[in-house]
Amino acid sequence: MFRFNSKFWEEARNTLPQPWLLLGSCGMGKKVFCLLFALFADAALGAERAFDFSQFPLQSSPTGFVSQVSGAGKSGDWKIIEDEVPLALAPLSPNAPKAGRRFVLAQLAQETTDEHFPLLIFNGETFGDFTLTTRFKCVSGSVDQMAGIAFRLQDEKNFYVVRASSLGNSFRFYKVVNGERSPPIGPQIKIPAGVWHEMSVAGQGNQIRCSLNGQELFPVLTDNSFAAGKIAFWTKSDSVSYFADTKIIYTPRVSLAQKIITEMIERYPRVIGLKIFAKNDANELRVIASNHQNEVGEPGGKVEATVLAKEAPYYAKGGETVSVITPLKDRNGDANGVLRIIMKPFPGQTERNVLARATPIVKAVEARMVSAKDLTQ
């Protein structure tokens, strides 16, 4: 169940530091919203990602995303197109253009199935505390004209979503758990089609805040269903919708895999390198954790792929190091990842000795795994 968090407003006022001065540009009617935005954004500061659709060719699907569907029907048709978008900042001169042609993300499929919710999921990261802002435009649709953002998404049947409807004139928030949609929260409000609007959603712990065109239209919500997850662009039925200027400010999360790597390096001083490999949503085997952060995201090699496929360890000897590359198995005995252990050798050390030294590390890592999902959470 959702509940309105009335105490949040009191705490926000009581904990407000001197940055009231930073809100001087906000009108009096928007001070509460500006305050909340500043508090949430400050809590989420640490990293920023902007989605630049101009880096992709026209009529292509953006890389780094996966298209899925929640409910019935086929996946959406997500393409990069060109559209006129108002400038983010006001022109310096009254004669300057107020809009320009830009590359934007569009959902173009027009499937009229009612319980049909196309999702374009960003594969890159999992977000816990964050503030996401995007511009959107509802273009057309006979059944629906909606645009939204799904967040803290676990899969196509479990996520939160905030969405705007031009046909239904509403701004709503709800959650989907095991494919079942909760009662929506939000008001009736006119949202003209064919016009660019701005939507913002922020998650801080179990508190969720949403706004439309700079205005909070319902109080802060509290819900404990999903602490972190993916973000996705969302539409409904035959909605043709555009998105642009999407930005997310967030607190980088330390995955369980990375925590395990740090613990193992501290526990075993003769280990000089540890990497965990796992497959992403695109079925690519990549480094998801390492004691060298710059290696995270690198692709796995032929050895790692063979170890995972055959579920058998591999021993390698270098000039001043020895390595064991071994499959990582969950509690069901399924190999869901690969662990590479690089160690300092002992004089006269044999392959059997190296494998024996690696065994307690492998067992310690596997003891923390329930499923493949645990590797990236």
Side-chain angles (χ1 to χ4, degrees):
M1 294 294 292
F2 297 106
R3 64 180 185 275
F4 294 125
N5 192 346
S6 58
K7 288 185 178 180
F8 181 86
W9 305 87
E10 180 77 21
E11 292 171 0
R13 185 177 67 250
N14 292 339
T15 58
L16 179 66
Q18 290 299 318
W20 268 109
L21 298 175
L22 298 176
L23 307 178
S25 61
C26 301
M28 289 300 292
K30 293 186 178 180
K31 274 188 181 288
V32 172
F33 167 73
C34 291
L35 164 61
L36 288 174
F37 188 90
L39 289 175
F40 271 90
D42 183 67
L45 277 177
E48 178 177 326
R49 179 183 287 274
F51 296 93
D52 180 12
F53 298 121
S54 67
Q55 65 179 303
F56 304 111
L58 282 172
Q59 296 302 316
S60 72
S61 297
T63 58
F65 294 82
V66 61
S67 178
Q68 294 186 359
V69 64
S70 179
K74 299 178 180 179
S75 297
D77 181 20
W78 299 90
K79 294 286 178 62
I80 302 301
I81 67 165
E82 193 174 24
D83 192 52
E84 191 167 272
V85 183
L87 299 177
L89 299 175
L92 297 178
S93 166
N95 297 322
K98 295 180 173 59
R101 301 292 294 180
R102 300 261 304 281
F103 282 19
V104 303
L105 174 67
Q107 198 298 115
L108 302 173
Q110 299 181 58
E111 184 169 335
T112 56
T113 304
D114 183 42
E115 292 296 306
H116 172 65
F117 306 97
L119 293 163
L120 187 68
I121 304 168
F122 176 57
N123 266 335
E125 295 175 63
T126 298
F127 302 98
D129 293 345
F130 71 95
T131 297
L132 182 147
T133 303
T134 189
R135 289 164 120 178
F136 70 92
K137 180 166 73 170
C138 297
V139 179
S140 65
S142 59
V143 176
D144 281 300
Q145 296 177 17
M146 292 190 185
I149 294 293
F151 58 101
R152 292 187 176 173
L153 182 146
Q154 313 300 301
D155 53 38
E156 70 278 8
K157 294 184 178 181
N158 295 274
F159 56 87
Y160 297 122
V161 64
V162 58
R163 58 76 170 160
S165 173
S166 292
L167 198 61
N169 292 316
S170 62
F171 183 65
R172 298 278 164 80
F173 167 83
Y174 57 83
K175 66 178 176 181
V176 178
V177 178
N178 296 326
E180 296 294 324
R181 193 165 63 244
S182 71
I185 295 173
Q188 292 293 121
I189 183 172
K190 189 173 183 179
I191 305 172
V195 177
W196 285 97
H197 305 273
E198 184 179 86
M199 179 187 303
S200 178
V201 57
Q204 175 66 26
N206 64 356
Q207 296 172 339
I208 299 166
R209 175 181 65 77
C210 307
S211 69
L212 176 68
N213 294 327
Q215 293 185 340
E216 291 229 333
L217 299 179
F218 45 84
V220 176
L221 302 170
T222 300
D223 189 79
N224 295 303
S225 299
F226 310 120
K230 302 286 188 179
I231 63 102
F233 296 98
W234 175 103
T235 65
K236 183 177 187 294
S237 296
D238 63 341
S239 302
V240 173
S241 305
Y242 299 170
F243 298 87
D245 297 327
T246 305
K247 180 177 72 174
I248 185 165
I249 301 171
Y250 64 99
T251 301
R253 301 180 70 248
V254 179
S255 67
L256 174 61
Q258 192 60 54
K259 291 178 182 177
I260 293 172
I261 290 292
T262 301
E263 292 172 10
M264 294 300 105
I265 288 292
E266 292 176 353
R267 188 183 304 177
Y268 299 95
R270 292 191 69 85
V271 172
I272 58 177
L274 276 179
K275 300 181 192 179
I276 295 179
F277 300 79
K279 288 189 175 181
N280 58 20
D281 291 339
N283 205 36
E284 301 166 332
L285 189 63
R286 292 187 176 274
V287 178
I288 63 167
S290 171
N291 61 315
H292 300 292
Q293 279 293 317
N294 62 315
E295 295 177 337
V296 175
E298 291 182 352
K302 291 183 179 179
V303 172
E304 286 79 18
T306 301
V307 166
L308 183 61
K310 294 186 176 181
E311 298 188 17
Y314 180 87
Y315 166 80
K317 184 177 181 180
E320 298 181 356
T321 64
V322 289
S323 299
V324 172
I325 303 91
T326 180
L328 285 174
K329 297 183 178 181
D330 62 21
R331 295 182 185 180
N332 295 321
D334 298 322
N336 289 311
V338 174
L339 177 66
R340 176 183 279 268
I341 308 169
I342 305 171
M343 297 175 285
K344 297 177 183 178
F346 289 113
Q349 187 167 256
T350 65
E351 179 178 342
R352 179 175 294 181
N353 296 145
V354 175
L355 293 174
R357 289 173 60 195
T359 298
I361 301 174
V362 177
K363 288 184 176 180
V365 174
E366 290 181 336
R368 304 281 292 278
M369 292 173 52
V370 177
S371 66
K373 198 171 184 179
D374 294 332
L375 291 172
T376 54
Q377 289 185 336

